[in-house]
Amino acid sequence: MALPSGPCLVTGATGFVGAAVARAVLAEGHPVRVLARPNGNRRNLDGLAVEIAEGSLEDAASLAEAVAGCRYLFHVAADYRLWVRDPAAMFRANVEGTRALMLAALAAGVERIVYTSSVAVLGIVPGGAADEHTPSRAEDMIGPYKRSKFDAELAVRELIAHQGLPAVIVNPSTPIGPGDIKPTPTGRLIVEAARGKMPGFVDTGLNVVHVDDVAAGHLAAAEHGGIGKRYILGGENLSLAEILAIVAEASGRRAPRLKIPYGVVLPVAAGAEMMARLTRREPFVTLDGARMSRKKMFFSSARAIRELGFAPRPAREAIADAVAWFRDNGYLR
């Protein structure tokens, strides 16, 4: 990738996708600065020759310091949870923090920005695959995470249109692979399935992509993406039953065969959230997740393949790599 000299700032590099982006930029021989909370988990930065700028999306002063002298910015950081006790905190990070970072980048003269949005902000095509032009509305967003990402992308678009923000937007689908230390909601699903704790499945579907392919898509967007354009970074569209079957194969277990009716999932999710409020532990099944499961979230990456040279590997490889990483790191005990 022909990035100019000077550090590239990567936000969210202590997380799953951000760490993959940081590794990809370093692999191309470019210096990397990362934004990291002072007391955050930095395990994903182990062994990476990066400069650390301490701060957070909620601290505007730290953002100005982090972007100073940077020519490229990969804004990957986001509060990604399907259940949150305080939705306002999620909006402060995902929306207000994104806007503050973009303004800081403009003031610092950053030449190119890749903003990591999500397919969560796109519409759904019943019986088909959505693309970058599939319409969606704020009222269609289920839960605070989707709504906060919708509002954040809207803020970026407004800055592109009215202040000349040099940003390209990428919309990853469902990244899977090594380094999911938290793990993400999808990573938790894979862990539970690989441990044999998934008794059944609902009739839903996801677009599965390897996290390292998402990272490569970020670099391609930085070099070849059009300012203001969206690019879906996805892989294969698979039903949940197909995903669980591949997880079972990779972990040496039997795939679940019980198809759970949607009407059963909702009261289970409601009960799980009630317990979560008492225990202060995130529920495995959430009401927002249950509501999203009514639709198959299928997407097309044709534009990214055509314009960026994006080349995602088969979903089976992504799932196998994820299971192997979770096993090697003690998550499957």
Side-chain angles (χ1 to χ4, degrees), residues 131-261:
D131 63 17
E132 291 85 355
H133 301 293
T134 304
S136 60
R137 305 172 301 168
E139 52 266 37
D140 297 329
M141 300 296 108
I142 297 174
Y145 173 70
K146 280 196 170 191
R147 180 58 191 264
S148 69
K149 291 298 286 185
F150 183 93
D151 290 352
E153 185 181 305
L154 182 61
V156 171
R157 288 182 167 280
E158 289 176 346
L159 289 171
I160 293 170
H162 301 299
Q163 297 197 36
L165 186 76
V168 181
I169 298 168
V170 293
N171 301 76
S173 58
T174 307
I176 290 175
D180 193 359
I181 61 172
K182 197 173 182 179
T184 61
T186 309
R188 292 178 64 201
L189 183 149
I190 291 177
V191 167
E192 294 303 304
R195 295 178 63 210
K197 302 295 185 180
M198 291 283 289
F201 56 88
V202 292
D203 183 21
T204 190
L206 299 169
N207 182 285
V208 174
V209 62
H210 198 293
V211 68
D212 290 339
D213 293 336
V214 171
H218 278 68
L219 270 65
E223 186 171 8
H224 303 297
I227 298 299
K229 276 191 172 183
R230 275 175 170 167
Y231 296 93
I232 294 174
L233 303 180
E236 283 188 68
N237 294 313
L238 298 173
S239 69
L240 181 56
E242 290 172 321
I243 293 169
L244 295 178
I246 298 172
V247 173
E249 179 182 324
S251 55
R253 295 187 178 275
R254 289 186 59 182
R257 298 179 180 179
L258 176 64
K259 184 176 177 180
I260 303 172

Side-chain angles (χ1 to χ4, degrees), residues 67-88:
V67 297
C70 291
R71 299 180 70 180
Y72 271 46
L73 163 62
F74 295 89
H75 177 34
V76 190
D79 185 345
Y80 173 32
R81 291 175 288 170
L82 295 184
W83 184 82
V84 58
R85 293 179 62 87
D86 178 18

Side-chain angles (χ1 to χ4, degrees), residues 3 14 53 75 85 105 115 166 181 249 252 270 276 295 308-309 312 318 331:
L3 291 182
T14 58
H75 177 34
R85 293 179 62 87
Y115 167 63
I181 61 172
E249 179 182 324
K295 301 175 181 178
L308 305 181
Y331 289 75

